[in-house]
Amino acid sequence: MTLALMKDWTFVTAAVTSLLPFVAFVLIMVFTRSRAKLSAGLSIGAVTVSLAGAAFLLVRYRDLKTPIQYAGQWLVSGAITVPVGILLDPLSLLMLTLVVTICFLVQVYSLGYMAGDTGFSRYYAFMSLFAWAMISLVLSSSMLQLYVFWELVGLSSYLLIGFWYEKFSASEAGKKAFVMTRFGDVAFMLGLLLVLMNLGDLDILKMNSPVVTANMTPGLITLSALLIFGGIVGKSAQFPLLTWLPDAMEGPTPVSALLHSATMVAAGVFLFARLFPFFSQSPTAMTVCLVIGTISMLLASTMAMVSRDVKQVWAYSTVSQLGFMIMGLAAGSYVAGVFHLTTHAGFKALLFLCSGVFIHTYESNDMFEIGRQGGRRLKTPMICMVIAAAALSGLPPFSGFFSKEMILVQLASLNNPLWLAAGLAGVFLTAYYAFRLIFIILFPKNTQNEKAADNTAVTHGGEKEHDHYRVMAWPLILLAAITLVLGFCQNMLDVFLTGRPAGMEEITGNHHAWLLYAALGLAVIGLVLAWLEFGRRKAGQIGFAERIPAVKALFLERWYLDRMYRWLLDVVIYRGISNACTKNDNQVIDGSIDVMSKSTVRSGRMISDLHLSMIQYKLMAIFVVILFLALYFFAAV
C-alpha cells in the first residue's frame, strides 16, 4: 500500500469499512469466545463503524459521475492480467449502504433473539465474517476478486444456516445450501474463464465497456453471459436451483433476515446489475434470464400459498421477488431492478424480524399456532408485519408499490404481452399469500385461553424477557419507517444511479395509466380473496388451492423438484454414474493390477524353480542348450 493511498481518505474509508468486520471475526474467534458480551460488542462496534463509513462515502459521492477505482495487479501471465482493488460507483455505494445497514440492524436485534444461546460468541463471529465477505464483494473491482468473496459469502452462509449443528435438520439444510449453490458457481467460474481467455482481463469496468464486442463474438458473449448467470441462479435460488432456500430457514431467524434482504441471495441480483451492460450485449442471454426469472417468480408464489411455516412463506416470497427483480433487469430496466432490490431489502428484513419475535415468544413457526396463542397481541411486530406485507404486495403508499410499478411498466413495453401477464399474475399471488399469513395470525380460529395468552405474550419470561423484546422492537420500527419512506425516493435513486436529470425516465410507454389501476386492482383482489378465505368470521381458513388435493400436494412438494433431484441422485448418479465408476474401478483398474500382480507372482515362481538345488535338471538344461548350439553351427557349416 503506497503512501499516497494512505493519504486518500476515500480509499482509507472504503478499506476500513471493508476490513473492520474481519478484524472483529478474528478477535472473537481467537480471544473473546468465552466472553459473550464482549464478542457482541466487538461485532456490533465494527459494523457500526462500517455503517458510518458507508454513509460518509454515499453522502460525499452522491453526485458521482465517473467511477472511482483503486486497482493493482494481482496476477499476471503473458497477455492476461487480473487486477485487485476497490470500485466505487453509484451501484456499489448504494449496495454498500444497504448491506451495512441491514447487518447493523440484524446484529442489534440478535442481542435479544440470541440471548442465552450457548453459541452466542460464535454467532457474532460468523455474522462479522459474513459482513466482511459481503462488503468486500460489493466493493470488488474485478470479477475474480468478486468471485473469491462470492465463495466466502457462501461459506459464511453455510456456517450460519447450520449454526445449530447439533440439530440434524439444520446441518442438512446447511449442506444442501452449500452443495446446490456450488453447482451454479461452477458455471460462474467457467463463464469467467471464457471471458478471461478472450478479453485478457476481468476488470469489471472493462467487461462493461464496448471493448468486449471487439474481442468476443456474439456467440461467445452469449455463452459466457449464460454461464455467469448460472452463478446467479444458484446464489439467488432461481429455477431450477430454488429448493435450498426454504430449507435454509433452519438457521436462526436473524440469519434468515440477513440472507434474504440485501445480502447473500440478493448478491445474485447485484451481480446481474453489476454486469448489466455486459449482459445487454446478448439479447438471447437476456431472454433466457427473463424466462428463468418469470418461472421462479410464479413457482415460488404458488408454493407460498399452502405453507404453514411463517419463515418458509417469506422464503418463497424472497425467491419470487428475486425473480421479479431479474425480470425487470432482463427486460432492460437497470433502475427498476435495482430499485426493487433496494425496497425489498427493507420490507423483507422487516418481515423476517417480525416473524422472529413471534417465533421467539411462542416457540413455534406454525402460523396457525402463533395465531391461536395470541400472536396479534404483540402490537409492534404485528403492525410492522402488516406494513411489510403491504409493501410486499405492492400496495400504496409503501415502497414495494413504486418499485413493482417500474418493473411492470418495463414489462409492458416488451413486444410479447406474456411477460406482463406473468408479472400481473405475480402481483395477485403475492398479495394473496402475504395476507393469508396476516389474516391467519390476526383472526385465529379455535382459540383457547386467549386471555391467558394476552397476559403472557411478552412477560412470560419475566423482566429479562421484556428487555429482550424491547431490543428486538427498535430495529422493527426503523425498518417500518424505511419501508414507508423509501418508495418516495424513486426519482432521487434514478438520478443517483444514472446521472440523468430528474424527470427523464429510463422507460416510456402508453401503458402506465391503465397498468397502475390493473396492478393495484389485482393486489386488492388478492387481499380480498385472502380475507374471504382466512379473515372473515365464518372463514374456514382453507385456500382455494388447498381445496384440490392434487394441487395442494403439487405446491407442498415444491412442484416435485426435490423428488426429481432425489431421483436424479439415486438413478443417474448413484445407480448410473457411481455404479459405472465402481465397476470400472473394480474390473478395469483393480482387475488389471490384479492380473499384473498374479502374472508377476507366477513368473517369479517359474524362475525360482530354476534355482532349486537339483543338479540333474541344470545339467540337463546345459546339455540341451549345448546340443542346440552344436546343431546350429553344424547346420551353418
Side-chain angles (χ1 to χ4, degrees):
M1 185 180 298
T2 64
L3 186 60
L5 284 179
M6 290 295 294
K7 293 180 179 179
D8 189 326
W9 279 103
T10 299
F11 173 79
V12 171
T13 303
V16 170
T17 298
S18 172
L19 289 175
L20 268 184
F22 178 71
V23 173
F25 164 73
V26 173
L27 291 175
I28 293 171
M29 293 300 292
V30 176
F31 299 108
T32 69
R33 285 192 66 179
S34 60
R35 304 177 66 180
K37 291 184 178 179
L38 181 56
S39 298
L42 284 171
S43 182
I44 295 175
V47 79
T48 302
V49 176
S50 295
L51 178 58
F56 168 77
L57 292 173
L58 182 67
V59 172
R60 182 174 181 180
Y61 296 108
R62 60 187 178 276
D63 297 322
L64 182 65
K65 304 299 182 184
T66 304
I68 300 173
Q69 185 174 20
Y70 301 93
Q73 290 184 342
W74 182 12
L75 300 173
V76 179
S77 178
I80 295 176
T81 60
V82 178
V84 61
I86 294 173
L87 174 62
L88 297 176
D89 66 349
L91 179 61
S92 62
L93 290 171
L94 174 65
M95 196 67 185
L96 175 64
T97 306
L98 288 177
V99 168
V100 293
T101 300
I102 298 299
C103 286
F104 171 76
L105 293 174
V106 168
Q107 289 196 26
V108 172
Y109 174 94
S110 299
L111 289 172
Y113 191 91
M114 298 298 293
D117 193 284
T118 54
F120 192 81
S121 292
R122 178 167 55 90
Y123 171 84
Y124 272 97
F126 292 164
M127 278 285 186
S128 294
L129 176 65
F130 188 97
W132 168 65
M134 191 65 204
I135 293 171
S136 301
L137 183 152
V138 168
L139 295 177
S140 295
S141 64
S142 76
M143 287 306 299
L144 185 59
Q145 180 185 350
L146 185 147
Y147 186 83
V148 170
F149 290 106
W150 180 277
E151 293 301 309
L152 283 171
V153 167
L155 171 63
S156 50
S157 64
Y158 162 76
L159 296 173
L160 287 168
I161 292 169
F163 176 76
W164 288 317
Y165 57 85
E166 66 279 1
K167 186 180 174 184
F168 179 75
S169 58
S171 61
E172 287 295 297
K175 288 189 288 186
K176 183 177 181 179
F178 190 80
V179 171
M180 291 191 74
T181 52
R182 295 290 80 69
F183 280 109
D185 292 352
V186 170
F188 185 10
M189 174 55 78
L190 292 175
L192 292 183
L193 291 176
L194 194 60
V195 173
L196 183 62
M197 290 171 59
N198 290 274
L199 192 61
D201 200 343
L202 287 177
D203 182 84
I204 291 174
L205 295 179
K206 188 173 181 179
M207 283 184 64
N208 285 332
S209 67
V211 73
V212 171
T213 56
N215 290 273
M216 298 178 67
T217 65
L220 282 176
I221 294 175
T222 299
L223 179 58
S224 57
L226 290 176
L227 288 171
I228 292 172
F229 185 70
I232 298 172
V233 168
K235 191 71 77 181
S236 292
Q238 296 296 285
F239 178 83
L241 302 178
L242 59 82
T243 59
W244 69 265
L245 192 57
D247 292 336
M249 299 301 97
E250 292 290 342
T253 303
V255 170
S256 303
L258 185 65
L259 299 184
H260 287 249
S261 51
T263 52
M264 181 196 175
V265 295
V269 179
F270 167 76
L271 176 59
F272 196 168
R274 169 54 74 206
L275 295 180
F276 183 77
F278 178 78
F279 278 94
S280 299
Q281 299 289 339
S282 172
T284 302
M286 294 288 272
T287 301
V288 172
C289 296
L290 182 58
V291 171
I292 296 297
T294 303
I295 294 173
S296 304
M297 185 268 294
L298 293 175
L299 289 188
S301 296
T302 60
M303 297 173 192
M305 291 166 59
V306 296
S307 178
R308 296 172 61 100
D309 189 302
V310 176
K311 289 171 66 177
Q312 283 199 356
V313 170
W314 302 140
Y316 289 130
S317 80
T318 298
V319 177
S320 179
Q321 297 308 302
L322 292 171
F324 215 80
M325 297 171 207
I326 290 174
M327 289 175 70
L329 289 166
S333 179
Y334 170 74
V335 174
V338 175
F339 185 36
H340 195 51
L341 174 63
T342 304
T343 60
H344 177 266
F347 64 71
K348 184 49 59 69
L350 182 56
L351 285 170
F352 272 106
L353 295 183
C354 289
S355 302
V357 177
F358 292 119
I359 294 168
H360 185 77
T361 303
Y362 300 113
E363 300 178 351
S364 174
N365 287 26
D366 190 314
M367 62 182 74
F368 290 93
E369 183 63 26
I370 292 172
R372 282 193 290 267
Q373 291 192 46
R376 62 183 179 179
R377 307 295 180 180
L378 296 177
K379 295 293 190 301
T380 300
M382 195 69 250
I383 293 172
C384 291
M385 184 179 279
V386 171
I387 291 173
L392 173 64
S393 303
L395 296 175
F398 306 103
S399 59
F401 166 76
F402 299 94
S403 55
K404 279 192 175 183
E405 187 65 24
M406 284 191 73
I407 293 176
L408 290 173
V409 170
Q410 182 64 29
L411 292 175
S413 68
L414 300 179
N415 293 328
N416 192 338
L418 179 63
W419 308 120
L420 177 60
L424 291 172
V427 170
F428 164 75
L429 293 175
T430 302
Y432 174 78
Y433 70 69
F435 280 93
R436 167 183 175 264
L437 186 152
I438 295 296
F439 292 142
I440 286 172
I441 296 178
L442 275 177
F443 307 106
K445 309 301 180 185
N446 303 322
T447 55
Q448 297 178 354
N449 301 323
E450 192 167 311
K451 184 174 289 187
D454 184 18
N455 293 332
T456 61
V458 177
T459 60
H460 73 280
E463 185 64 28
K464 193 172 184 180
E465 186 70 20
H466 187 69
D467 292 339
H468 295 163
Y469 175 79
R470 284 189 298 178
V471 169
M472 291 188 285
W474 281 110
L476 305 184
I477 296 171
L478 290 173
L479 285 169
I482 291 172
T483 301
L484 285 168
V485 172
L486 198 55
F488 298 99
C489 301
Q490 177 179 339
N491 290 334
M492 186 187 306
L493 185 67
D494 191 347
V495 173
F496 177 69
L497 288 174
T498 64
R500 291 190 303 264
M504 296 186 63
E505 287 80 6
E506 182 186 30
I507 48 180
T508 60
N510 299 320
H511 308 280
H512 188 71
W514 69 265
L515 188 57
L516 172 65
Y517 297 107
L520 186 58
L522 286 170
V524 172
I525 291 172
L527 188 154
V528 171
L529 181 58
W531 161 259
L532 292 174
E533 292 185 338
F534 299 96
R536 62 190 178 94
R537 184 179 297 274
K538 296 183 179 180
Q541 293 199 328
I542 300 176
F544 66 92
E546 297 172 277
R547 292 189 174 93
I548 307 173
V551 174
K552 179 181 178 180
L554 178 66
F555 295 168
L556 280 175
E557 291 285 347
R558 303 171 187 174
W559 290 73
Y560 298 103
L561 287 173
D562 276 331
R563 292 199 179 189
M564 181 187 72
Y565 295 141
R566 185 77 263 170
W567 180 85
L568 288 173
L569 284 173
D570 291 339
V571 176
V572 179
I573 304 297
Y574 297 148
R575 297 179 191 172
I577 298 175
S578 181
N579 281 349
C581 291
T582 301
K583 289 180 180 179
N584 179 71
D585 184 58
N586 292 335
Q587 297 178 9
V588 179
I589 299 176
D590 289 350
S592 60
I593 293 175
D594 290 342
V595 170
M596 291 174 60
S597 301
K598 291 177 181 178
S599 300
T600 303
V601 171
R602 288 170 184 168
S603 61
R605 286 175 178 172
M606 291 176 62
I607 295 173
S608 67
D609 289 341
L610 299 177
H611 295 279
L612 295 175
S613 57
M614 296 182 180
I615 303 302
Q616 61 271 31
Y617 290 116
K618 295 181 180 180
L619 291 173
M620 183 178 294
I622 294 172
F623 174 75
V624 171
V625 171
I626 293 174
L627 178 63
F628 278 107
L629 287 173
L631 290 174
Y632 172 77
F633 286 112
F634 180 76
V637 174

